[in-house]
Amino acid sequence: MSTLNDASADRPIPLTAPSGIDRAAHHRLDEAWLAAAWSHPTTRVFVVSGGQVLIDDRPDGTTEIVTTPAFEAPMTETHRYFLGTDADGVSYFALQKDSLPGRMDQSARPAGLREAGMLLSPRDAGLMTHAVALENWQRLHRFCSRCGERTVIAAAGHVRRCPACGAEHYPRTDPAVIMLVTDDQDRALLGRQVHWPEGRFSTLAGFVEPGESIEHAVVREVFEEAGVTVGEVEYAASQPWPFPASLMLGFFARATSPEIEVDGEEIHEARWFSREDMEAGFASGELLPPYGISIASRLIELWYGKPLPKPGDVV
């Protein structure tokens, strides 16, 4: 894989930088410890609702999740999720509510992970990713898949137990592959989904099927979506993607044939791009980059050799 040697290769993928938070899973079943942590004056709490939290743009240019001490947090006994502790021993909890609390000051505003993930520190982005993933799972898995009984929350939000049959249910994560495919001319294969705006191109992606290796999923998805056969597959990096419950597994792959035949269902159009094609497309405005928070952007950047333009940038 040919890439230019520049600083973009060292930039972390959004949502993957070390957060500095120890999830401290060994405390999740310790009710006495959790109660003590909740009542501790240094504990910080924030509300998550519908995949959003309140964020605050600070005067110094940084953006933070709006947190409160536990004694100022909204009341809830069941939807309280322990997220972990930091190096200073501060504990963090998320509360799932039907709506976010009223704005606490003029600068606080609600935001989802696609926006906030690009603004927050690694610590806050990690906390928000964890909280949003738990909220999504909790909202969608309230009943036992074995007997249909309503389940109850346990393990500080990380387990749901069935009081009728005793089954325990854990948060699910759906593995999905996302890949930048190149040909023997080192051109990149990018596709446009049916519902995307004209000019928006990105890497191909798809879910891993039952009983399938991730490498085979790369080969299968590229052929199903674009009709391109793939040989060599190389793992690049992963990214949590709680929309609602995926883990994106990023790859580089080498095509063994350049012919394209899109499926017409998921992919409306696919093209081979040289670096010159891409630069010209960005300059003219005819080519729109993928959303910056996605691992797709970083896969393309690693091949392209420099950061992709952001909305509003003049190339």
Side-chain angles (χ1 to χ4, degrees), residues 127-146:
L127 289 169
M128 184 176 178
T129 302
H130 191 176
V132 168
L134 284 178
E135 185 208 17
N136 283 331
W137 173 67
Q138 293 281 358
R139 288 188 183 279
L140 296 175
H141 295 83
R142 294 176 296 169
F143 297 91
C144 179
S145 60
R146 180 185 293 177

Side-chain angles (χ1 to χ4, degrees), residues 34 63 65 96-97 108 154 233 250:
L34 291 170
T63 301
I65 294 177
Q96 177 181 322
K97 303 290 286 184
V233 174

Side-chain angles (χ1 to χ4, degrees), residues 25-108:
H26 56 290
H27 289 313
R28 292 173 186 167
L29 296 175
D30 188 339
E31 295 297 335
W33 187 94
L34 291 170
W38 176 259
S39 61
H40 198 278
T42 64
T43 291
R44 306 304 296 177
V45 181
F46 63 93
V47 174
V48 58
S49 180
Q52 292 190 320
V53 303
L54 285 179
I55 63 173
D56 194 4
D57 299 316
R58 310 299 297 170
D60 61 3
T62 61
T63 301
E64 297 179 346
I65 294 177
V66 175
T67 64
T68 67
F71 66 84
E72 293 182 3
M75 293 295 294
T76 178
E77 291 299 324
T78 56
H79 292 84
R80 179 194 299 173
Y81 310 142
F82 172 59
L83 304 178
T85 61
D86 65 17
D88 296 323
V90 175
S91 297
Y92 294 87
F93 289 81
L95 302 180
Q96 177 181 322
K97 303 290 286 184
D98 291 334
S99 62
L100 294 175
R103 297 187 180 188
M104 308 184 72
D105 56 52
Q106 293 301 315
S107 59

Side-chain angles (χ1 to χ4, degrees), residues 49-290:
S49 180
Q52 292 190 320
V53 303
L54 285 179
I55 63 173
D56 194 4
D57 299 316
R58 310 299 297 170
D60 61 3
T62 61
T63 301
E64 297 179 346
I65 294 177
V66 175
T67 64
T68 67
F71 66 84
E72 293 182 3
M75 293 295 294
T76 178
E77 291 299 324
T78 56
H79 292 84
R80 179 194 299 173
Y81 310 142
F82 172 59
L83 304 178
T85 61
D86 65 17
D88 296 323
V90 175
S91 297
Y92 294 87
F93 289 81
L95 302 180
Q96 177 181 322
K97 303 290 286 184
D98 291 334
S99 62
L100 294 175
R103 297 187 180 188
M104 308 184 72
D105 56 52
Q106 293 301 315
S107 59
R109 69 182 192 277
L113 194 55
R114 284 185 171 89
E115 175 193 357
M118 298 295 290
L119 304 174
L120 298 172
S121 68
R123 184 201 68 182
D124 282 11
L127 289 169
M128 184 176 178
T129 302
H130 191 176
V132 168
L134 284 178
E135 185 208 17
N136 283 331
W137 173 67
Q138 293 281 358
R139 288 188 183 279
L140 296 175
H141 295 83
R142 294 176 296 169
F143 297 91
C144 179
S145 60
R146 180 185 293 177
C147 71
E149 184 72 22
R150 181 180 286 273
T151 54
V152 295
I153 297 173
H158 294 76
V159 175
R160 293 192 72 101
R161 292 196 179 114
C162 179
C165 70
E168 290 191 343
H169 304 279
Y170 295 84
R172 62 175 294 169
T173 296
D174 300 319
V177 291
I178 183 167
M179 43 276 172
L180 181 72
V181 181
T182 56
D183 65 2
D184 58 5
Q185 300 179 51
D186 203 23
R187 298 179 299 174
L189 176 65
L190 302 179
R192 183 168 70 86
Q193 293 190 17
V194 174
H195 61 277
W196 285 357
E198 192 74 25
R200 171 87 64 198
F201 282 82
S202 187
T203 53
L204 304 182
F207 286 103
V208 180
E209 294 187 345
E212 182 178 49
S213 71
I214 54 178
E215 294 84 0
H216 186 265
V218 171
V219 175
R220 175 183 54 77
E221 284 288 345
V222 173
F223 185 76
E224 287 180 357
E225 293 187 348
V228 173
T229 57
V230 165
E232 178 185 355
V233 174
E234 177 186 0
Y235 173 74
S238 64
Q239 181 188 45
W241 196 248
F243 303 110
S246 299
L247 176 65
M248 305 303 295
L249 305 167
F251 291 86
F252 294 110
R254 181 69 75 177
T256 58
S257 65
E259 290 77 17
I260 294 175
E261 185 177 350
V262 297
D263 63 5
E265 296 181 3
E266 291 186 60
I267 301 299
H268 178 72
E269 180 183 5
R271 291 166 50 190
W272 292 105
F273 290 86
S274 68
R275 292 178 180 82
E276 294 74 20
D277 293 335
M278 186 168 289
E279 187 166 18
F282 290 147
S284 68
E286 296 178 358
L287 180 61
L288 304 175

